[in-house]
Amino acid sequence: MISALTANQKGALLMMGSMAGFTLNDGFIKLLGQNLPLSQILTLRGLLVSVLIFGLARALGALRLNLSRRDWGLVIGRSVAEAVTTYFFLSALMVMPIANITAILQMLPLTVTLAAVLVFGETVGWRRSLAIAAGFLGMLLIVRPGPNGFDSGTGYAIAAVACITARDLFTRRLSAEVPSMTVSLVAALSVTAFGALWGLGEDWQPISYDAGAMLLGASGMIFVGYLFSVMAMRVGDVSAVAPFRYTGLLWALLLGWAVFDSWPDALTLVGAAIVVAAGVFSLMREAPRRISELE
């Protein structure tokens, strides 16, 4: 049955599986955070994920460390942004419904496009400019700042979006010769080191059997998420596969309802729909431009 699918259909299924993996990882972390300090979770998960990525990279022959000084600088900058992102994202995850923070993260294709215009001088047509504006309007419907500004969880989520945007800008400047596995391994080690340093000021707790199982689950899910996302982008057309990243919001809605007994209100859902529609439109408009640049 799978062999009968087209390349784009396989890519779409892999991308949906990738988003499910990342979302399930978030769910495990949110449950673990009720009893364990975040630094302990980050360090232990990071060690497990680093081992998995290293093993896969060696098996595929995709580990290369003799990079240029420029590329090493970009890899390190990206890894620092990844570590700071993890802090902000997990801090938000502990105090926000999982669907709400996932909805805010759907802004990423739009913020990366806007940042590329501001930092690299890339050109954006009026249609994508309107999509970016609509996306920010949708985000305001999600966060709805009050007279005193954003609450702490929303502030953490927005800071995470800013850091991921910076991370992706570093990624855009990497040479094509730099293997993605090398980048991912350095990022995983950086997050692990960040968690260990953070843990110097916290008291770690004993790991129960349930907590150990959830740590293994979180490590496995984030590894599956990464692996499937790489496979998805290599199987189908970018324009056909990339929009399925937004299924992460559907997984988050289902997980929040089934596990955490939470469901966003109507305005949040409307805002999320606007953000997703704007992001999908922007991705569809960007794909032909990138293809023409490669030809």
Side-chain angles (χ1 to χ4, degrees):
M1 182 177 178
I2 294 178
S3 60
L5 298 176
T6 66
N8 285 341
Q9 289 170 336
K10 292 177 183 177
L13 288 174
L14 286 167
M15 184 58 74
M16 287 189 284
S18 169
M19 294 301 103
F22 286 129
T23 305
L24 287 172
N25 161 75
D26 296 341
F28 280 127
I29 298 300
K30 190 172 180 66
L31 290 171
L32 283 166
Q34 297 173 5
N35 299 303
L36 299 178
L38 287 179
S39 63
Q40 184 176 5
I41 297 170
L42 272 183
T43 304
L44 297 178
R45 187 195 67 172
L47 286 171
L48 292 169
V49 172
S50 297
V51 169
L52 289 172
I53 292 176
F54 177 77
L56 181 63
R58 286 295 299 271
L60 297 177
L63 190 61
R64 178 188 165 199
L65 300 179
N66 57 332
L67 308 179
S68 67
R69 181 178 299 180
R70 173 184 177 277
D71 281 329
W72 266 121
L74 291 170
V75 169
I76 292 171
R78 184 190 184 281
S79 298
V80 170
E82 185 83 60
V84 178
T85 293
T86 303
Y87 168 77
F88 284 128
F89 175 76
L90 294 186
S91 297
L93 185 63
M94 292 301 107
V95 297
M96 290 181 69
I98 192 169
N100 289 48
I101 186 173
T102 304
I104 294 173
L105 291 181
Q106 306 312 304
M107 282 292 301
L108 283 169
L110 303 174
T111 58
V112 171
T113 298
L114 178 60
V117 172
L118 298 176
V119 176
F120 302 140
E122 294 187 10
T123 58
V124 173
W126 65 270
R127 294 180 181 86
R128 290 174 67 204
S129 297
L130 285 178
I132 292 172
F136 278 99
L137 175 61
M139 187 186 72
L140 289 176
L141 290 177
I142 298 170
V143 302
R144 296 196 294 280
N148 297 321
F150 300 111
D151 59 35
S152 60
T154 301
Y156 284 134
I158 293 174
V161 170
C163 291
I164 298 174
T165 302
R167 180 201 69 184
D168 287 354
L169 291 183
F170 279 116
T171 305
R172 283 192 176 205
R173 308 306 288 178
L174 284 170
S175 302
E177 294 78 18
V178 180
S180 58
M181 286 290 186
T182 299
V183 177
S184 298
L185 179 60
V186 174
L189 292 172
S190 299
V191 172
T192 305
F194 174 79
L197 290 173
W198 184 9
L200 295 176
E202 294 186 330
D203 294 326
W204 284 17
Q205 303 300 315
I207 303 294
S208 65
Y209 288 112
D210 289 344
M214 284 191 283
L215 273 171
L216 289 173
S219 303
M221 286 300 100
I222 199 169
F223 178 71
V224 166
Y226 167 73
L227 178 61
F228 279 17
S229 67
V230 172
M231 292 171 63
M233 300 311 290
R234 291 183 173 181
V235 170
D237 299 326
V238 174
S239 59
V241 174
F244 284 89
R245 290 181 184 275
Y246 289 102
T247 58
L249 181 56
L250 298 178
W251 293 119
L253 287 168
L254 290 172
L255 187 64
W257 170 74
V259 178
F260 301 102
D261 193 27
S262 64
W263 188 261
D265 59 26
L267 273 180
T268 298
L269 291 173
V270 171
I274 293 173
V275 169
V276 169
V280 170
F281 177 82
S282 183
L283 285 172
M284 298 295 287
R285 295 289 302 180
E286 184 179 17
R289 181 180 65 84
R290 289 201 173 277
I291 291 173
S292 64
E293 289 176 352
L294 295 174
E295 292 177 344

